[in-house]
Amino acid sequence: MADRHLEPDTPELRARWGNWTWNEVNAKKVPDIIARYPEGRQRSAVMPLLDLAQRQIGAETQTQGWLPIPVMEYIAKELDMPVIRVVEVASFYTMYNLVPVGRFHVQVCGTTPCMLRGSDDLLTACKARGMSKGHNSADGLWTLTEVECMGNCASAPMVQINDDNYEDLTAERLNFVLDELAAGREPKAGTQEPGRHTVEPVGALSTLKQMVSENHDYRGEW
Amino acid sequence: MPKVTVDGVELEVPAGATVLQACELAGKEIPRFCYHERLSIAGNCRMCLVEVAPGPPKPQASCALPAAEGQTIRTDSEMVKKAREGVMEFLLINHPLDCPICDQGGECDLQDQSVAYGRGASRYDEHKRAVTEKYMGPLIKTTMTRCIHCTRCVRFSEEVAGVDEIGALYRGENMQITTYLEKAAHHEMSANVIDLCPVGALTSKPYAFEARPWELKKTLGIDVSDATGANIRIDSRGREVLRVLPRINDDVNEEWISDKARYQVDGLTKRRLDRPWIRRDGKLQAATWDEAFAAIAKVKPGASVAAVAGDLLDCETQFAAKKLVGALGSSLLEGRQTGMDYDVSSLAAVNFNSTFAGIETADAILIVGSNVRWEAPLVNVRLRKAVKKGAKVFLVGQQWDTTFGGEFLSEDLSVLGNLPAHVSDALSKAERPAVILGGAALAKGALGAGLGLVGQFNLVRDGWNGFNVLHLAAARMGGLMLGFAQKGGIADLVAAKPKLVFSLGADEMDFAKFSDSIVVYIGHHGDKGAHAADIVLPAAAYTEKAGTYVNTEGRVQFAEKAVFAPGDAREDWTILRALADALGVSVGFDSFDELRAAMVAEVPALGEEGLAAYGSLPAGGGSADGVFGYPIKDFYLTNPIARASEVMQRCSAELLHGEDFAEAAE
């Protein structure tokens, strides 16, 4: 995150993105999104619109998508708000990409639970495939980012790739997922542990055993 | 009116006050960085922590906490002391502590408060954050590593200036304050963020590394760059004015001044007239005072003499000129250089009657022929406040980029006689309707038509006078009070074909019309006026003489002398007094005090600080039509001082004409 920056505003960038507009499908969604917010509060739509723009650009460029300056200006104009306020929002939230990314944005969690469960191996596996932190791989397929806790500590270690989480990873399992993605298939999202469905205890129950047969909660039911 | 107890003292505070304000009312100093009286509350610096009971057992940010009945507030407890030390330590973690090379040193909130409330030593020995410089234009120098993220600058440009261009990008430790794409800040009040910045992140670029605050002599002055009469503090060292800062005056400039008022002062040392000049064989040649006076005496004008007052003059100079011209037997005095000839039989009709503080409370405003943003940036700030409170603003004239919205009705003045239904509806239903006539409207003869609106919309009512004229020249109201106006304007002077014309710093007039007269220019800059003159007498600029100024509201204000005029230049009144001897007449004063006493005897209002009373408004009438342009073509170059200023020249080139001065990365 520390190296987040805006893509420089160059004539080439303006030439490439200056005429960007919503595609036909999204153009129909925009008024609906804006209408979700109360009259006079249309600026609130900036976040969904930035997301929509990023996704559209992702579809157009076969990547996860990103937000060039002219696109942010386009959205600012659409919502009648100062551009700097749009850029503030886009630069604050890390899920908005400010620079071009690869087709798959591999976000490896490196916070304590994941690290204890082997996230270092995952990073090594990623690097072995030619990825490096904060950069796009040469084939344009991957962008690697190390991120802080994504809230999947019960199935650590995890990575987030575009819209899906892959959990209970080992280097081999991650390699399998990446291979599948590279081949254009859709590997199962969520936990990669055979036999595990979500984040239920692995093997037998280890805590709250008494609750199986009888309710001990202070609430009537749970 | 909640009752609270601050450090054991019980007091009543106004409803809606915050805990911080309550503490201030109790006489307690609360350290703060992000809180500012004139900006919205952000609550992000945490320096104002106090202990409040009832409430959670932890320090609370007093700036964002409403004072409530029965609160017990402690500002002197051990918890508060430790909290302040902690916040201070965190703030200093990423602050470079480069005070010895920082221009804010000596007037830095962070420096002062770390002395008063800090721990005195740091426990931090990791790497400090560093932030790249941001370009913010020719006036604001940035050292963003010093920034403590108080966001005062962001709030100022959004709320007060009304030009959203500064923002905080990224987040957490990586948060950076910047203008959009590091473009120059594009508004007339931009440099006020320098005063607001509590640290040395935003400092003054033209003043960079010039002086330390404790070396400077501070003089109270009045700004002459426009007719608002902003209260300024002139900081000088030796004979040079180094900078100008705003003084707080809620009735006039609150605590802002325009960039022109602040940065034209480098023009005070350039292109100065520092000795008399006499035109010989078509060329101006240096001369002595004696030669110059002899040359003027040789004209033997008799009563065929006239005086034109410039835009930057104080009342004393104008009065001295009036006495001199009067002693010679003439009454040809005029200050409206550009040929305006509006009726001045009632000064109430050419005054900003609502006052600046009052216009904030107006709820429907019609602006006729004034680009307020350029003609009076400080009034523009007030208009924006009025609009934020719900006022409707309509404008007549060419479109300009308002910071408050507003509806442009027409470019043609004839719309005044035939206002659209929704406009007249808004004005007649308003509780405090106001009309503002600008210089462009006056020049087109719209004063009568404007006064006609007074009756139509009942602009004058109990405790409210909504008829306003916004002048452009600092000298205008003072000049009108002293009679610097002819019925036909400057055309009357031309028609009289005077032998001798005194041009008192008048640079905007058309000298070709006086080609048969001997023109004596008494002023401080080698500008248009001096070029056209036959004899040039070097005088003092506004920082070099004490004087009385009357702003466009009719507010009489006194300024003091900060520095001496350069070279052989003298204060204007002494020149005029000496001219009286040279021409063999008596003007009746020998000292500045006598001059002022004589002036006050003639116009008593000039002796008293505050709003002058001009009586009631005359009846209006007449109509106006025609399309017009605004008198100011370039905000940064409206007077001879600004035109001589390199800073103003650069602002004009970069901000108005789009020339690229962006600096290479260091």
Side-chain angles (χ1 to χ4, degrees):
Chain A
M1 200 186 99
D3 46 9
R4 267 171 83 78
H5 63 276
L6 291 170
E7 184 75 359
D9 181 34
T10 56
E12 295 79 54
L13 185 86
R14 294 268 165 195
R16 171 72 182 81
W17 297 104
N19 293 319
W20 186 89
T21 52
W22 299 115
N23 63 26
E24 221 166 284
V25 182
N26 287 344
K28 289 203 188 85
K29 286 186 193 165
V30 171
D32 292 342
I33 293 174
I34 295 176
R36 283 181 211 159
Y37 301 93
E39 191 63 36
R41 302 277 175 188
Q42 275 70 17
R43 292 177 172 205
S44 305
V46 66
M47 291 186 65
L49 289 193
L50 283 171
D51 179 58
L52 194 65
Q54 178 163 307
R55 283 172 195 279
Q56 183 183 323
I57 289 169
E60 286 165 8
T61 56
Q62 287 298 304
T63 64
Q64 200 204 8
W66 65 293
L67 294 166
I69 284 282
V71 172
M72 292 196 242
E73 284 172 357
Y74 177 80
I75 291 173
K77 213 168 159 197
E78 178 127 19
L79 297 172
D80 190 24
M81 65 193 279
V83 198
I84 185 79
R85 298 282 103 85
V86 178
V87 182
E88 276 182 336
V89 170
S91 66
F92 184 90
Y93 293 101
T94 51
M95 283 168 79
Y96 297 120
N97 299 318
L98 302 179
V99 292
V101 290
R103 186 149 145 222
F104 300 106
H105 187 187
V106 182
Q107 304 187 59
V108 180
C109 173
T111 308
T112 319
C114 281
M115 200 183 115
L116 292 172
R117 298 274 296 159
S119 67
D120 287 355
D121 296 341
L122 304 185
L123 281 171
T124 315
C126 289
K127 284 174 184 161
R129 300 176 74 101
M131 306 182 204
S132 69
K133 271 193 225 171
H135 294 282
N136 304 340
S137 63
D139 54 8
L141 218 47
W142 315 108
T143 301
L144 178 65
T145 313
E146 184 179 337
V147 296
E148 300 306 329
C149 189
M150 296 277 224
N152 284 260
C153 310
S155 47
M158 66 81 68
V159 302
Q160 186 179 73
I161 302 176
N162 292 5
D163 289 341
D164 287 316
N165 287 357
Y166 300 90
E167 302 146 30
D168 281 322
L169 292 171
T170 59
E172 296 76 54
R173 288 172 185 172
L174 177 62
N175 271 321
F176 172 76
V177 168
L178 297 180
D179 284 338
E180 292 283 291
L181 287 171
R185 288 186 286 272
E186 287 183 21
K188 174 179 106 65
T191 176
Q192 304 296 311
E193 178 83 24
R196 204 178 184 194
H197 298 98
T198 56
V199 289
E200 78 275 15
V202 182
L205 286 178
S206 57
T207 53
L208 300 179
K209 286 176 194 164
Q210 291 86 345
M211 294 290 277
V212 174
S213 52
E214 207 178 331
N215 181 22
H216 294 278
D217 195 69
Y218 67 94
R219 291 163 294 187
E221 51 182 318
W222 67 295
Chain B
M1 297 283 280
K3 258 199 190 110
V4 299
T5 313
V6 180
D7 291 347
V9 181
E10 199 179 62
L11 75 157
E12 232 175 83
V13 297
T18 62
V19 170
L20 188 147
Q21 285 162 336
C23 294
E24 292 210 315
L25 283 174
K28 300 289 170 189
E29 188 184 70
I30 304 291
R32 86 286 301 266
F33 294 110
C34 71
Y35 176 80
H36 193 276
E37 291 86 348
R38 290 172 216 277
L39 302 174
S40 64
I41 293 168
N44 54 9
C45 76
R46 318 309 291 178
M47 195 60 205
C48 61
L49 294 173
V50 295
E51 201 179 332
V52 181
K58 58 169 189 170
Q60 307 234 49
S62 59
C63 70
L65 187 70
E69 181 65 38
Q71 270 173 344
T72 313
I73 302 160
R74 292 226 68 98
T75 68
D76 54 359
S77 65
E78 189 57 28
M79 184 206 269
V80 173
K81 182 171 175 291
K82 273 180 75 177
R84 287 171 179 169
E85 284 176 358
V87 169
M88 201 72 225
E89 202 174 352
F90 274 122
L91 284 174
L92 291 176
I93 274 182
N94 275 320
H95 192 78
L97 304 183
D98 56 352
C99 307
I101 58 155
C102 175
D103 257 337
Q104 193 85 353
E107 48 186 7
C108 174
D109 287 359
L110 190 65
Q111 212 175 28
D112 295 348
Q113 292 182 28
S114 67
V115 170
Y117 304 104
R119 269 169 48 92
S122 174
R123 295 178 288 183
Y124 183 77
D125 50 10
E126 311 292 322
H127 287 297
K128 283 181 184 253
R129 176 195 62 134
V131 182
T132 50
E133 298 311 346
K134 304 282 182 282
Y135 184 71
M136 285 201 188
L139 301 177
I140 306 167
K141 182 183 171 211
T142 65
T143 311
M144 298 319 284
T145 304
R146 296 179 189 143
C147 177
I148 59 165
H149 304 154
C150 68
T151 68
R152 275 186 189 179
C153 51
V154 180
R155 283 175 282 148
F156 173 83
S157 58
E158 181 182 352
E159 293 161 15
V160 179
V163 181
D164 267 313
E165 49 188 15
I166 303 182
L169 301 194
Y170 314 111
R171 66 169 165 182
E173 192 194 18
N174 301 299
M175 181 167 150
Q176 301 185 8
I177 301 288
T178 179
T179 49
Y180 178 58
L181 299 180
E182 294 190 37
K183 287 177 186 154
H186 262 90
H187 55 89
E188 299 69 36
M189 307 278 290
S190 65
N192 286 300
V193 297
I194 296 167
D195 295 338
L196 286 172
C197 185
V199 298
L202 307 179
T203 51
S204 169
K205 204 175 244 180
Y207 172 73
F209 307 130
E210 288 282 342
R212 285 296 188 190
W214 56 83
E215 301 173 316
L216 300 172
K217 189 180 89 172
K218 297 154 184 77
T219 313
L220 308 184
I222 298 297
D223 172 53
V224 296
S225 67
D226 56 34
T228 48
N231 291 202
I232 53 171
R233 192 183 94 193
I234 302 161
D235 281 7
S236 56
R237 187 180 55 193
R239 296 187 72 150
E240 192 180 353
V241 174
L242 289 176
R243 65 171 177 179
V244 159
L245 296 177
R247 272 188 287 147
I248 295 177
N249 185 338
D250 280 333
D251 291 331
V252 183
N253 56 322
E254 298 174 276
E255 59 180 281
W256 324 119
I257 52 172
S258 72
D259 289 355
K260 183 164 57 182
R262 190 184 296 260
Y263 285 122
Q264 66 176 4
V265 289
D266 72 314
L268 289 169
T269 55
K270 302 195 175 71
R271 300 206 326 224
R272 282 304 296 268
L273 301 170
D274 57 356
R275 68 176 83 159
W277 299 79
I278 300 175
R279 191 174 295 278
R280 295 188 184 109
D281 310 327
K283 264 185 92 173
L284 281 174
Q285 291 176 353
T288 63
W289 278 106
D290 288 339
E291 288 167 4
F293 283 144
I296 294 166
K298 217 172 73 186
V299 178
K300 293 203 177 53
S304 182
V305 55
V308 183
D311 289 346
L312 312 181
L313 286 189
D314 54 317
C315 293
E316 282 79 356
T317 302
Q318 298 184 71
F319 180 75
K322 180 186 181 182
K323 283 282 140 193
L324 176 65
V325 171
L328 288 164
S330 164
S331 63
L332 289 170
L333 304 166
E334 181 56 64
R336 299 166 295 180
Q337 301 172 51
T338 51
M340 286 192 279
D341 58 356
Y342 49 83
D343 177 31
V344 294
S345 51
S346 160
L347 287 183
V350 292
N351 188 38
F352 201 96
N353 295 302
S354 299
T355 72
F356 297 158
I359 199 76
E360 259 178 40
T361 63
D363 48 4
I365 305 171
L366 176 66
I367 300 172
V368 184
S370 178
N371 178 347
V372 185
R373 205 172 146 184
W374 275 12
E375 293 173 13
L378 294 164
V379 177
N380 196 52
V381 167
R382 304 279 192 167
L383 290 174
R384 183 170 157 77
K385 274 177 148 177
V387 171
K388 276 181 139 183
K389 287 181 199 156
K392 291 196 187 86
V393 177
F394 307 99
L395 302 99
V396 177
Q398 282 168 13
Q399 290 251 357
W400 50 278
D401 193 10
T402 70
T403 60
F404 47 76
E407 183 189 341
F408 282 88
L409 301 176
S410 163
E411 291 191 9
D412 197 311
L413 281 171
S414 58
V415 76
L416 287 186
N418 181 24
L419 286 171
H422 70 284
V423 179
S424 45
D425 205 42
L427 283 168
S428 45
K429 280 194 186 140
E431 269 173 44
R432 292 163 87 87
V435 169
I436 299 176
L437 286 187
L442 295 182
K444 270 277 173 193
L447 185 60
L451 282 167
L453 298 172
V454 174
Q456 191 183 344
F457 298 114
N458 193 15
L459 294 182
V460 183
R461 50 186 82 179
D462 213 19
W464 175 251
N465 186 336
F467 182 77
N468 301 300
V469 168
L470 188 58
H471 291 294
L472 295 145
R476 183 70 70 247
M477 283 311 284
L480 296 181
M481 285 167 83
L482 288 165
F484 271 74
Q486 300 297 317
K487 197 161 181 353
I490 207 162
D492 283 8
L493 269 61
V494 177
K497 293 194 192 306
K499 275 191 191 164
L500 188 62
V501 175
F502 292 113
S503 159
L504 303 161
D507 287 287
E508 325 297 332
M509 62 190 261
D510 181 7
F511 288 95
K513 289 185 178 150
F514 292 100
S515 51
D516 297 333
S517 315
I518 296 291
V519 177
V520 178
Y521 181 78
I522 305 173
H524 41 81
H525 272 79
D527 205 81
K528 296 172 205 164
H531 287 299
D534 298 296
I535 297 161
V536 174
L537 302 178
Y542 70 108
T543 51
E544 293 149 10
K545 59 189 170 192
T548 306
Y549 297 91
V550 187
N551 78 356
T552 189
E553 312 169 280
R555 186 181 301 280
V556 179
Q557 304 186 102
F558 304 132
E560 285 165 24
K561 172 176 175 168
V563 293
F564 286 94
D568 281 343
R570 293 290 178 269
E571 287 181 39
D572 306 47
W573 78 269
T574 59
I575 298 172
L576 293 159
R577 173 67 189 78
L579 271 174
D581 285 348
L583 293 165
V585 291
S586 161
V587 287
F589 53 82
D590 292 316
S591 70
F592 188 72
D593 290 338
E594 283 176 33
L595 159 62
R596 197 171 248 176
M599 180 176 79
V600 173
E602 198 170 305
V603 187
L606 288 176
E608 215 172 309
E609 227 165 353
L611 292 172
Y614 295 127
S616 58
L617 284 172
S623 60
D625 54 34
V627 184
F628 55 87
Y630 297 113
I632 296 184
K633 304 292 177 224
D634 187 328
F635 170 73
Y636 295 102
L637 303 175
T638 53
N639 65 53
I641 303 173
R643 285 191 286 266
S645 155
E646 272 174 24
V647 179
M648 289 292 103
Q649 292 282 0
R650 173 159 170 196
C651 282
S652 164
E654 179 170 352
L655 303 177
L656 299 181
H657 300 113
E659 278 176 46
D660 194 8
F661 285 89
E663 288 165 10
E666 283 175 37

